[in-house]
Amino acid sequence: QVQLEESGGGLVQAGGSLRLSCAASGTIFSINTMGWYRQASAFTRESVADITSGGRTNYADSVKGRFTISRDNAKNTVFLQMNSLKSEDTAVYYCKAIVDPYRSGYRQYWGQGTQVTVSS
């Protein structure tokens, strides 16, 4: 079984910064892409950023230049540094990882989510 545990959410004023972390644990042979999604109430879950095992990154247009995704492959951990936060960044942030747990193919796993609230 694979577990993803997020941390680092909280309440911050507009213009401030937060750093999210997501650590994968359990039976893991390899991890492909890791990423962050977010869901504000009454809206669909949207992709924020993702990063491949080789370090290639993708960002939503709304966060380019403000957020930075990175990962520590040795620790199976992905980070999201969020700067210049805006009220519209308020959402529950979810970590997703594409994991091959048993050397039998990749599967998608999600974390439980961490709340980020930006006050204006």
Side-chain angles (χ1 to χ4, degrees), residues 6 14 19 22 31 40 42 46 48 51 54 56-57 80 82-83 89 91 96 102 104-105 107 110-111 116:
E6 299 121 332
R19 188 181 192 225
C22 172
I31 302 178
E46 63 174 357
V48 176
I51 182 169
R56 188 173 66 229
T57 59
L80 185 68
M82 305 186 293
N83 299 328
D89 294 318
K96 187 180 86 170
Y102 303 111
S104 60
R107 308 174 192 182
W110 290 91
V116 171

Side-chain angles (χ1 to χ4, degrees), residues 3 6 16 34 53 56 58 68 72 89 92 108:
Q3 296 85 37
E6 299 121 332
M34 302 184 79
S53 57
R56 188 173 66 229
N58 285 298
T68 302
D72 183 336
D89 294 318
V92 178
Q108 178 175 283

Side-chain angles (χ1 to χ4, degrees), residues 7-99:
S7 61
L11 173 65
V12 64
Q13 289 188 332
S17 299
L18 283 175
R19 188 181 192 225
L20 305 183
S21 299
C22 172
S25 62
T27 304
I28 298 172
F29 174 68
S30 69
I31 302 178
N32 192 341
T33 301
M34 302 184 79
W36 292 93
Y37 287 68
R38 66 186 180 188
Q39 184 170 12
S41 57
F43 289 91
T44 57
R45 192 173 295 187
E46 63 174 357
S47 176
V48 176
D50 59 60
I51 182 169
T52 67
S53 57
R56 188 173 66 229
T57 59
N58 285 298
Y59 295 93
D61 288 342
S62 59
V63 307
K64 282 180 181 177
R66 300 188 299 122
F67 291 11
T68 302
I69 190 170
S70 61
R71 66 190 279 177
D72 183 336
N73 290 330
K75 296 183 179 180
N76 294 331
T77 301
V78 63
F79 307 96
L80 185 68
Q81 178 66 43
M82 305 186 293
N83 299 328
S84 302
L85 282 161
K86 306 175 181 179
S87 57
E88 51 263 45
D89 294 318
T90 295
V92 178
Y93 283 70
Y94 296 91
C95 173
K96 187 180 86 170
I98 309 300
V99 180

